[in-house]
Short mmCIF file of all heavy atoms in Angstrom, two decimals:
data_model
loop_
_atom_site.label_atom_id
_atom_site.label_comp_id
_atom_site.label_asym_id
_atom_site.label_seq_id
_atom_site.Cartn_x
_atom_site.Cartn_y
_atom_site.Cartn_z
N THR A 38 62.74 -49.25 116.54
CA THR A 38 62.13 -49.83 115.34
C THR A 38 63.18 -50.32 114.37
O THR A 38 63.04 -51.39 113.77
CB THR A 38 61.24 -48.77 114.67
OG1 THR A 38 60.30 -48.26 115.61
CG2 THR A 38 60.49 -49.37 113.49
N LEU A 39 64.27 -49.53 114.21
CA LEU A 39 65.35 -49.98 113.34
C LEU A 39 66.00 -51.27 113.87
O LEU A 39 66.31 -52.18 113.10
CB LEU A 39 66.41 -48.88 113.21
CG LEU A 39 66.09 -47.75 112.22
CD1 LEU A 39 67.12 -46.65 112.35
CD2 LEU A 39 66.08 -48.29 110.80
N GLU A 40 66.17 -51.33 115.19
CA GLU A 40 66.75 -52.53 115.78
C GLU A 40 65.84 -53.73 115.56
O GLU A 40 66.29 -54.84 115.24
CB GLU A 40 66.99 -52.30 117.27
CG GLU A 40 67.66 -53.47 117.97
CD GLU A 40 67.92 -53.17 119.44
OE1 GLU A 40 67.56 -52.05 119.89
OE2 GLU A 40 68.46 -54.04 120.13
N GLN A 41 64.51 -53.50 115.73
CA GLN A 41 63.55 -54.57 115.49
C GLN A 41 63.56 -55.00 114.02
O GLN A 41 63.54 -56.20 113.71
CB GLN A 41 62.16 -54.10 115.90
CG GLN A 41 61.08 -55.15 115.76
CD GLN A 41 59.72 -54.60 116.15
OE1 GLN A 41 59.59 -53.41 116.40
NE2 GLN A 41 58.73 -55.47 116.19
N ASN A 42 63.59 -54.00 113.11
CA ASN A 42 63.64 -54.34 111.69
C ASN A 42 64.92 -55.09 111.33
O ASN A 42 64.91 -56.00 110.49
CB ASN A 42 63.54 -53.08 110.85
CG ASN A 42 62.16 -52.45 110.91
OD1 ASN A 42 61.24 -53.05 111.45
ND2 ASN A 42 62.02 -51.25 110.37
N GLU A 43 66.03 -54.67 111.96
CA GLU A 43 67.29 -55.37 111.69
C GLU A 43 67.21 -56.82 112.14
O GLU A 43 67.66 -57.74 111.43
CB GLU A 43 68.43 -54.64 112.38
CG GLU A 43 69.81 -55.20 112.05
CD GLU A 43 70.92 -54.40 112.70
OE1 GLU A 43 70.62 -53.58 113.59
OE2 GLU A 43 72.08 -54.58 112.31
N LEU A 44 66.62 -57.05 113.32
CA LEU A 44 66.47 -58.42 113.81
C LEU A 44 65.56 -59.22 112.89
O LEU A 44 65.86 -60.37 112.53
CB LEU A 44 65.90 -58.38 115.24
CG LEU A 44 65.64 -59.74 115.91
CD1 LEU A 44 66.95 -60.51 116.04
CD2 LEU A 44 65.00 -59.55 117.28
N PHE A 45 64.44 -58.61 112.49
CA PHE A 45 63.51 -59.30 111.60
C PHE A 45 64.15 -59.60 110.25
O PHE A 45 63.93 -60.67 109.66
CB PHE A 45 62.25 -58.46 111.39
CG PHE A 45 61.33 -58.47 112.58
CD1 PHE A 45 60.26 -57.59 112.65
CD2 PHE A 45 61.53 -59.34 113.63
CE1 PHE A 45 59.41 -57.59 113.74
CE2 PHE A 45 60.69 -59.35 114.73
CZ PHE A 45 59.62 -58.47 114.79
N SER A 46 64.95 -58.61 109.72
CA SER A 46 65.58 -58.85 108.42
C SER A 46 66.58 -60.00 108.50
O SER A 46 66.68 -60.82 107.57
CB SER A 46 66.26 -57.57 107.94
OG SER A 46 67.30 -57.18 108.83
N LYS A 47 67.34 -60.07 109.61
CA LYS A 47 68.27 -61.19 109.78
C LYS A 47 67.51 -62.51 109.82
O LYS A 47 67.89 -63.49 109.15
CB LYS A 47 69.08 -61.01 111.06
CG LYS A 47 70.07 -59.87 111.02
CD LYS A 47 70.80 -59.77 112.35
CE LYS A 47 71.76 -58.59 112.37
NZ LYS A 47 72.44 -58.45 113.69
N GLU A 48 66.45 -62.53 110.62
CA GLU A 48 65.67 -63.77 110.73
C GLU A 48 65.03 -64.13 109.39
O GLU A 48 65.00 -65.31 109.01
CB GLU A 48 64.60 -63.61 111.80
CG GLU A 48 65.18 -63.48 113.21
CD GLU A 48 64.09 -63.30 114.26
OE1 GLU A 48 62.91 -63.14 113.85
OE2 GLU A 48 64.41 -63.29 115.46
N ALA A 49 64.52 -63.10 108.66
CA ALA A 49 63.91 -63.39 107.36
C ALA A 49 64.94 -63.91 106.37
O ALA A 49 64.67 -64.83 105.59
CB ALA A 49 63.24 -62.13 106.83
N ALA A 50 66.16 -63.31 106.37
CA ALA A 50 67.21 -63.79 105.47
C ALA A 50 67.61 -65.22 105.80
O ALA A 50 67.79 -66.05 104.90
CB ALA A 50 68.43 -62.86 105.56
N LEU A 51 67.71 -65.51 107.11
CA LEU A 51 68.05 -66.89 107.50
C LEU A 51 66.91 -67.85 107.16
O LEU A 51 67.16 -69.00 106.76
CB LEU A 51 68.34 -66.94 109.01
CG LEU A 51 69.61 -66.19 109.45
CD1 LEU A 51 69.75 -66.24 110.97
CD2 LEU A 51 70.85 -66.80 108.80
N TYR A 52 65.69 -67.36 107.28
CA TYR A 52 64.55 -68.22 106.95
C TYR A 52 64.53 -68.53 105.45
O TYR A 52 64.33 -69.69 105.06
CB TYR A 52 63.26 -67.53 107.38
CG TYR A 52 62.02 -68.31 107.00
CD1 TYR A 52 61.69 -69.49 107.66
CD2 TYR A 52 61.21 -67.87 105.97
CE1 TYR A 52 60.55 -70.20 107.30
CE2 TYR A 52 60.07 -68.58 105.61
CZ TYR A 52 59.74 -69.74 106.28
OH TYR A 52 58.61 -70.46 105.93
N ILE A 53 64.73 -67.51 104.61
CA ILE A 53 64.78 -67.75 103.17
C ILE A 53 65.95 -68.66 102.82
O ILE A 53 65.84 -69.57 101.98
CB ILE A 53 64.87 -66.41 102.42
CG1 ILE A 53 63.57 -65.62 102.60
CG2 ILE A 53 65.15 -66.62 100.94
CD1 ILE A 53 63.62 -64.24 101.99
N ASP A 54 67.09 -68.43 103.49
CA ASP A 54 68.24 -69.29 103.25
C ASP A 54 67.91 -70.74 103.62
O ASP A 54 68.25 -71.67 102.89
CB ASP A 54 69.43 -68.78 104.06
CG ASP A 54 70.67 -69.62 103.84
OD1 ASP A 54 71.28 -69.48 102.76
OD2 ASP A 54 71.02 -70.41 104.74
N LYS A 55 67.23 -70.94 104.75
CA LYS A 55 66.86 -72.29 105.18
C LYS A 55 65.90 -72.93 104.19
O LYS A 55 66.03 -74.11 103.84
CB LYS A 55 66.22 -72.24 106.57
CG LYS A 55 65.85 -73.59 107.15
CD LYS A 55 65.29 -73.45 108.54
CE LYS A 55 64.98 -74.82 109.14
NZ LYS A 55 64.05 -75.60 108.30
N VAL A 56 64.93 -72.13 103.69
CA VAL A 56 63.97 -72.68 102.72
C VAL A 56 64.69 -73.10 101.45
O VAL A 56 64.46 -74.21 100.93
CB VAL A 56 62.89 -71.63 102.42
CG1 VAL A 56 62.04 -72.06 101.23
CG2 VAL A 56 62.00 -71.42 103.62
N LEU A 57 65.58 -72.23 100.95
CA LEU A 57 66.30 -72.58 99.72
C LEU A 57 67.22 -73.77 99.93
O LEU A 57 67.31 -74.67 99.07
CB LEU A 57 67.10 -71.36 99.23
CG LEU A 57 66.29 -70.16 98.76
CD1 LEU A 57 67.22 -69.01 98.40
CD2 LEU A 57 65.42 -70.52 97.57
N VAL A 58 67.91 -73.81 101.07
CA VAL A 58 68.82 -74.94 101.34
C VAL A 58 68.03 -76.23 101.50
O VAL A 58 68.44 -77.30 101.02
CB VAL A 58 69.66 -74.64 102.60
CG1 VAL A 58 70.43 -75.87 103.04
CG2 VAL A 58 70.64 -73.50 102.30
N ASP A 59 66.87 -76.17 102.18
CA ASP A 59 66.03 -77.38 102.32
C ASP A 59 65.58 -77.87 100.95
O ASP A 59 65.61 -79.09 100.68
CB ASP A 59 64.82 -77.07 103.19
CG ASP A 59 65.21 -76.87 104.66
OD1 ASP A 59 66.34 -77.25 105.03
OD2 ASP A 59 64.38 -76.32 105.42
N HIS A 60 65.15 -76.97 100.08
CA HIS A 60 64.73 -77.38 98.74
C HIS A 60 65.90 -77.93 97.94
O HIS A 60 65.74 -78.88 97.16
CB HIS A 60 64.09 -76.20 98.00
CG HIS A 60 62.69 -75.92 98.43
ND1 HIS A 60 62.37 -75.40 99.66
CD2 HIS A 60 61.49 -76.11 97.77
CE1 HIS A 60 61.06 -75.25 99.75
NE2 HIS A 60 60.49 -75.69 98.61
N ARG A 61 67.09 -77.33 98.14
CA ARG A 61 68.27 -77.87 97.44
C ARG A 61 68.59 -79.27 97.95
O ARG A 61 68.89 -80.19 97.17
CB ARG A 61 69.46 -76.94 97.67
CG ARG A 61 70.75 -77.36 96.95
CD ARG A 61 71.94 -76.62 97.49
NE ARG A 61 72.15 -76.93 98.91
CZ ARG A 61 73.05 -76.33 99.68
NH1 ARG A 61 73.82 -75.36 99.17
NH2 ARG A 61 73.18 -76.66 100.94
N ASN A 62 68.53 -79.47 99.28
CA ASN A 62 68.87 -80.78 99.86
C ASN A 62 67.88 -81.85 99.42
O ASN A 62 68.26 -82.98 99.07
CB ASN A 62 68.91 -80.69 101.38
CG ASN A 62 70.06 -79.82 101.86
OD1 ASN A 62 71.05 -79.63 101.14
ND2 ASN A 62 69.95 -79.28 103.08
N VAL A 63 66.57 -81.49 99.43
CA VAL A 63 65.59 -82.50 99.05
C VAL A 63 65.69 -82.80 97.56
O VAL A 63 65.47 -83.96 97.12
CB VAL A 63 64.17 -82.04 99.42
CG1 VAL A 63 63.69 -80.91 98.52
CG2 VAL A 63 63.19 -83.21 99.37
N LEU A 64 66.05 -81.79 96.73
CA LEU A 64 66.24 -82.05 95.31
C LEU A 64 67.46 -82.94 95.08
O LEU A 64 67.44 -83.86 94.24
CB LEU A 64 66.40 -80.72 94.57
CG LEU A 64 66.22 -80.78 93.05
CD1 LEU A 64 64.78 -81.12 92.69
CD2 LEU A 64 66.60 -79.44 92.42
N GLN A 65 68.53 -82.69 95.86
CA GLN A 65 69.72 -83.51 95.75
C GLN A 65 69.44 -84.95 96.21
O GLN A 65 69.89 -85.92 95.57
CB GLN A 65 70.85 -82.90 96.58
CG GLN A 65 72.20 -83.61 96.45
CD GLN A 65 73.29 -82.91 97.24
OE1 GLN A 65 73.00 -81.99 98.00
NE2 GLN A 65 74.53 -83.34 97.06
N PHE A 66 68.68 -85.11 97.27
CA PHE A 66 68.33 -86.45 97.77
C PHE A 66 67.49 -87.20 96.73
O PHE A 66 67.70 -88.39 96.46
CB PHE A 66 67.56 -86.33 99.08
CG PHE A 66 67.08 -87.63 99.63
CD1 PHE A 66 67.96 -88.50 100.28
CD2 PHE A 66 65.76 -88.02 99.47
CE1 PHE A 66 67.49 -89.73 100.77
CE2 PHE A 66 65.30 -89.24 99.97
CZ PHE A 66 66.16 -90.09 100.62
N THR A 67 66.56 -86.49 96.11
CA THR A 67 65.71 -87.11 95.09
C THR A 67 66.54 -87.53 93.89
O THR A 67 66.32 -88.61 93.30
CB THR A 67 64.61 -86.13 94.66
OG1 THR A 67 63.86 -85.73 95.80
CG2 THR A 67 63.68 -86.76 93.64
N ALA A 68 67.51 -86.66 93.47
CA ALA A 68 68.35 -87.00 92.32
C ALA A 68 69.18 -88.25 92.60
O ALA A 68 69.34 -89.13 91.73
CB ALA A 68 69.27 -85.83 91.98
N GLN A 69 69.71 -88.38 93.79
CA GLN A 69 70.48 -89.57 94.15
C GLN A 69 69.59 -90.81 94.21
O GLN A 69 70.01 -91.91 93.84
CB GLN A 69 71.19 -89.35 95.48
CG GLN A 69 72.31 -88.32 95.41
CD GLN A 69 72.94 -88.05 96.76
OE1 GLN A 69 72.47 -88.59 97.79
NE2 GLN A 69 73.99 -87.23 96.78
N ALA A 70 68.35 -90.58 94.68
CA ALA A 70 67.43 -91.72 94.77
C ALA A 70 67.02 -92.23 93.39
O ALA A 70 66.84 -93.44 93.19
CB ALA A 70 66.19 -91.34 95.57
N LEU A 71 66.86 -91.35 92.45
CA LEU A 71 66.45 -91.77 91.12
C LEU A 71 67.57 -92.54 90.44
O LEU A 71 67.34 -93.61 89.86
CB LEU A 71 66.05 -90.55 90.28
CG LEU A 71 64.74 -89.86 90.67
CD1 LEU A 71 64.52 -88.62 89.83
CD2 LEU A 71 63.57 -90.82 90.48
N GLY A 72 68.77 -91.99 90.49
CA GLY A 72 69.90 -92.69 89.89
C GLY A 72 69.69 -92.93 88.42
O GLY A 72 69.39 -92.03 87.64
N ALA A 73 69.80 -94.23 88.02
CA ALA A 73 69.69 -94.59 86.61
C ALA A 73 68.28 -94.44 86.08
O ALA A 73 68.07 -94.37 84.86
CB ALA A 73 70.18 -96.03 86.41
N ASP A 74 67.27 -94.38 86.96
CA ASP A 74 65.88 -94.26 86.51
C ASP A 74 65.48 -92.80 86.26
O ASP A 74 64.30 -92.53 85.99
CB ASP A 74 64.94 -94.86 87.55
CG ASP A 74 65.18 -96.36 87.73
OD1 ASP A 74 65.64 -96.99 86.76
OD2 ASP A 74 64.92 -96.86 88.85
N ALA A 75 66.41 -91.88 86.37
CA ALA A 75 66.03 -90.48 86.26
C ALA A 75 65.51 -90.14 84.88
O ALA A 75 64.60 -89.31 84.73
CB ALA A 75 67.24 -89.59 86.60
N LEU A 76 66.04 -90.77 83.82
CA LEU A 76 65.63 -90.46 82.46
C LEU A 76 64.45 -91.31 82.00
O LEU A 76 64.03 -91.20 80.84
CB LEU A 76 66.81 -90.63 81.50
CG LEU A 76 67.98 -89.66 81.73
CD1 LEU A 76 69.14 -89.98 80.80
CD2 LEU A 76 67.52 -88.22 81.54
N ASP A 77 63.93 -92.13 82.89
CA ASP A 77 62.76 -92.96 82.56
C ASP A 77 61.52 -92.26 83.08
O ASP A 77 61.29 -92.22 84.30
CB ASP A 77 62.91 -94.34 83.17
CG ASP A 77 61.77 -95.27 82.75
OD1 ASP A 77 60.93 -94.84 81.93
OD2 ASP A 77 61.73 -96.40 83.26
N PRO A 78 60.69 -91.68 82.17
CA PRO A 78 59.51 -90.96 82.66
C PRO A 78 58.57 -91.81 83.48
O PRO A 78 57.97 -91.33 84.43
CB PRO A 78 58.85 -90.47 81.37
CG PRO A 78 59.95 -90.45 80.35
CD PRO A 78 60.84 -91.60 80.70
N ALA A 79 58.46 -93.06 83.13
CA ALA A 79 57.52 -93.93 83.86
C ALA A 79 57.96 -94.12 85.30
O ALA A 79 57.11 -94.21 86.21
CB ALA A 79 57.40 -95.29 83.14
N GLN A 80 59.27 -94.18 85.54
CA GLN A 80 59.77 -94.38 86.90
C GLN A 80 59.91 -93.05 87.66
O GLN A 80 59.63 -92.99 88.86
CB GLN A 80 61.14 -95.09 86.84
CG GLN A 80 61.11 -96.47 86.23
CD GLN A 80 60.34 -97.46 87.10
OE1 GLN A 80 60.29 -97.35 88.33
NE2 GLN A 80 59.70 -98.45 86.43
N ALA A 81 60.36 -92.00 86.95
CA ALA A 81 60.70 -90.77 87.65
C ALA A 81 59.50 -89.84 87.84
O ALA A 81 59.45 -89.09 88.83
CB ALA A 81 61.80 -90.03 86.88
N SER A 82 58.52 -89.84 86.93
CA SER A 82 57.42 -88.89 87.01
C SER A 82 56.64 -88.98 88.31
O SER A 82 56.33 -87.95 88.94
CB SER A 82 56.48 -89.07 85.81
OG SER A 82 57.15 -88.71 84.63
N PRO A 83 56.27 -90.18 88.81
CA PRO A 83 55.53 -90.24 90.09
C PRO A 83 56.35 -89.67 91.25
O PRO A 83 55.81 -88.99 92.13
CB PRO A 83 55.24 -91.73 90.27
CG PRO A 83 55.29 -92.29 88.89
CD PRO A 83 56.35 -91.52 88.17
N VAL A 84 57.68 -89.96 91.23
CA VAL A 84 58.52 -89.45 92.32
C VAL A 84 58.54 -87.91 92.29
O VAL A 84 58.42 -87.23 93.32
CB VAL A 84 59.94 -90.02 92.20
CG1 VAL A 84 60.85 -89.42 93.27
CG2 VAL A 84 59.92 -91.53 92.32
N LEU A 85 58.69 -87.35 91.08
CA LEU A 85 58.74 -85.89 90.97
C LEU A 85 57.40 -85.25 91.33
O LEU A 85 57.35 -84.15 91.90
CB LEU A 85 59.15 -85.49 89.55
CG LEU A 85 60.55 -85.97 89.10
CD1 LEU A 85 60.86 -85.46 87.71
CD2 LEU A 85 61.63 -85.53 90.08
N ALA A 86 56.28 -85.92 91.00
CA ALA A 86 54.97 -85.39 91.35
C ALA A 86 54.79 -85.34 92.86
O ALA A 86 54.26 -84.36 93.41
CB ALA A 86 53.87 -86.24 90.69
N ARG A 87 55.23 -86.44 93.56
CA ARG A 87 55.13 -86.42 95.03
C ARG A 87 56.04 -85.34 95.62
O ARG A 87 55.68 -84.67 96.60
CB ARG A 87 55.51 -87.81 95.58
CG ARG A 87 54.46 -88.88 95.29
CD ARG A 87 54.72 -90.12 96.14
NE ARG A 87 56.01 -90.73 95.85
CZ ARG A 87 56.22 -91.65 94.91
NH1 ARG A 87 55.21 -92.07 94.16
NH2 ARG A 87 57.43 -92.14 94.72
N LEU A 88 57.22 -85.17 95.02
CA LEU A 88 58.14 -84.13 95.52
C LEU A 88 57.50 -82.73 95.36
O LEU A 88 57.57 -81.91 96.28
CB LEU A 88 59.46 -84.20 94.75
CG LEU A 88 60.48 -83.09 95.06
CD1 LEU A 88 60.91 -83.16 96.53
CD2 LEU A 88 61.70 -83.21 94.15
N ARG A 89 56.88 -82.47 94.23
CA ARG A 89 56.27 -81.15 94.00
C ARG A 89 55.09 -80.93 94.94
O ARG A 89 54.85 -79.81 95.42
CB ARG A 89 55.82 -81.03 92.55
CG ARG A 89 55.25 -79.66 92.18
CD ARG A 89 55.08 -79.56 90.67
NE ARG A 89 54.52 -78.27 90.31
CZ ARG A 89 53.20 -78.03 90.25
NH1 ARG A 89 52.33 -79.00 90.51
NH2 ARG A 89 52.77 -76.82 89.93
N ALA A 90 54.35 -82.01 95.25
CA ALA A 90 53.22 -81.88 96.18
C ALA A 90 53.71 -81.62 97.60
O ALA A 90 53.07 -80.88 98.37
CB ALA A 90 52.35 -83.14 96.14
N ALA A 91 54.86 -82.20 97.96
CA ALA A 91 55.38 -82.00 99.32
C ALA A 91 56.04 -80.63 99.47
O ALA A 91 56.04 -80.05 100.58
CB ALA A 91 56.38 -83.12 99.66
N PHE A 92 56.59 -80.12 98.40
CA PHE A 92 57.26 -78.81 98.43
C PHE A 92 56.61 -77.90 97.38
O PHE A 92 57.07 -77.84 96.23
CB PHE A 92 58.76 -78.96 98.16
CG PHE A 92 59.51 -79.67 99.26
CD1 PHE A 92 59.60 -81.06 99.26
CD2 PHE A 92 60.08 -78.95 100.30
CE1 PHE A 92 60.27 -81.71 100.28
CE2 PHE A 92 60.75 -79.61 101.32
CZ PHE A 92 60.85 -81.00 101.32
N PRO A 93 55.54 -77.21 97.78
CA PRO A 93 54.77 -76.45 96.79
C PRO A 93 55.51 -75.24 96.21
O PRO A 93 55.04 -74.65 95.25
CB PRO A 93 53.52 -76.03 97.56
CG PRO A 93 53.94 -76.06 99.00
CD PRO A 93 54.93 -77.17 99.12
N LEU A 94 56.65 -74.83 96.82
CA LEU A 94 57.40 -73.72 96.23
C LEU A 94 57.95 -74.07 94.85
O LEU A 94 58.20 -73.19 94.03
CB LEU A 94 58.55 -73.28 97.15
CG LEU A 94 58.18 -72.45 98.38
CD1 LEU A 94 59.43 -72.07 99.15
CD2 LEU A 94 57.41 -71.20 97.99
N PHE A 95 58.18 -75.40 94.60
CA PHE A 95 58.64 -75.81 93.28
C PHE A 95 57.51 -75.60 92.28
O PHE A 95 56.47 -76.27 92.33
CB PHE A 95 59.06 -77.28 93.28
CG PHE A 95 60.43 -77.51 93.87
CD1 PHE A 95 60.64 -78.46 94.85
CD2 PHE A 95 61.53 -76.79 93.40
CE1 PHE A 95 61.89 -78.68 95.38
CE2 PHE A 95 62.78 -77.01 93.93
CZ PHE A 95 62.96 -77.94 94.93
N ASP A 96 57.72 -74.68 91.37
CA ASP A 96 56.72 -74.43 90.34
C ASP A 96 56.77 -75.51 89.26
O ASP A 96 55.74 -75.91 88.71
CB ASP A 96 56.96 -73.06 89.71
CG ASP A 96 55.95 -72.74 88.63
OD1 ASP A 96 54.75 -72.65 88.94
OD2 ASP A 96 56.37 -72.57 87.47
N ARG A 97 57.99 -76.01 88.97
CA ARG A 97 58.15 -77.06 87.96
C ARG A 97 59.45 -77.79 88.25
O ARG A 97 60.43 -77.19 88.70
CB ARG A 97 58.19 -76.45 86.55
CG ARG A 97 58.38 -77.49 85.44
CD ARG A 97 58.18 -76.85 84.07
NE ARG A 97 56.74 -76.65 83.85
CZ ARG A 97 56.11 -75.48 83.99
NH1 ARG A 97 56.82 -74.42 84.34
NH2 ARG A 97 54.82 -75.37 83.79
N ILE A 98 59.45 -79.14 87.98
CA ILE A 98 60.64 -79.97 88.14
C ILE A 98 60.87 -80.67 86.81
O ILE A 98 59.94 -81.28 86.24
CB ILE A 98 60.47 -81.00 89.27
CG1 ILE A 98 60.14 -80.27 90.59
CG2 ILE A 98 61.72 -81.83 89.43
CD1 ILE A 98 59.84 -81.21 91.73
N LEU A 99 62.09 -80.60 86.31
CA LEU A 99 62.40 -81.20 85.02
C LEU A 99 63.72 -81.93 85.09
O LEU A 99 64.54 -81.69 85.99
CB LEU A 99 62.41 -80.14 83.92
CG LEU A 99 63.33 -78.92 84.11
CD1 LEU A 99 64.70 -79.19 83.51
CD2 LEU A 99 62.71 -77.69 83.46
N VAL A 100 63.92 -82.83 84.09
CA VAL A 100 65.13 -83.65 84.01
C VAL A 100 65.73 -83.44 82.63
O VAL A 100 65.00 -83.49 81.62
CB VAL A 100 64.82 -85.14 84.25
CG1 VAL A 100 66.08 -85.98 84.12
CG2 VAL A 100 64.20 -85.35 85.62
N ALA A 101 67.07 -83.22 82.59
CA ALA A 101 67.76 -83.03 81.32
C ALA A 101 69.05 -83.81 81.34
O ALA A 101 69.79 -83.79 82.34
CB ALA A 101 68.05 -81.55 81.09
N PRO A 102 69.34 -84.55 80.26
CA PRO A 102 70.61 -85.27 80.18
C PRO A 102 71.77 -84.29 79.98
O PRO A 102 71.55 -83.08 79.83
CB PRO A 102 70.40 -86.17 78.96
CG PRO A 102 69.41 -85.46 78.12
CD PRO A 102 68.50 -84.76 79.07
N PRO A 103 73.01 -84.78 79.91
CA PRO A 103 74.15 -83.87 79.71
C PRO A 103 74.08 -83.08 78.41
O PRO A 103 74.74 -82.05 78.29
CB PRO A 103 75.36 -84.81 79.72
CG PRO A 103 74.92 -85.95 80.58
CD PRO A 103 73.47 -86.16 80.27
N SER A 104 73.28 -83.51 77.45
CA SER A 104 73.14 -82.74 76.21
C SER A 104 72.40 -81.43 76.43
O SER A 104 72.50 -80.50 75.63
CB SER A 104 72.40 -83.57 75.15
OG SER A 104 71.08 -83.87 75.59
N GLY A 105 71.61 -81.31 77.49
CA GLY A 105 70.89 -80.09 77.81
C GLY A 105 69.48 -80.06 77.29
O GLY A 105 68.73 -79.12 77.61
N VAL A 106 69.03 -81.01 76.50
CA VAL A 106 67.66 -81.04 75.98
C VAL A 106 66.76 -81.70 77.01
O VAL A 106 67.01 -82.85 77.41
CB VAL A 106 67.60 -81.78 74.63
CG1 VAL A 106 66.16 -81.80 74.10
CG2 VAL A 106 68.51 -81.12 73.61
#
Side-chain angles (χ1 to χ4, degrees):
T38 305
L39 280 172
E40 183 178 0
Q41 183 181 7
N42 290 351
E43 186 177 13
L44 179 61
F45 285 169
S46 62
K47 291 179 182 178
E48 293 179 353
L51 293 177
Y52 176 71
I53 293 175
D54 181 75
K55 182 177 182 304
V56 170
L57 294 176
V58 171
D59 289 345
H60 282 70
R61 183 195 62 186
N62 293 337
V63 72
L64 196 67
Q65 185 177 8
F66 177 77
T67 303
Q69 291 176 355
L71 289 176
D74 297 332
L76 296 176
D77 185 4
Q80 297 293 330
S82 294
V84 176
L85 298 183
R87 289 194 298 271
L88 175 62
R89 184 170 179 271
F92 292 88
L94 284 182
F95 281 129
D96 180 63
R97 179 171 284 101
I98 303 175
L99 55 90
V100 178
S104 63
V106 180

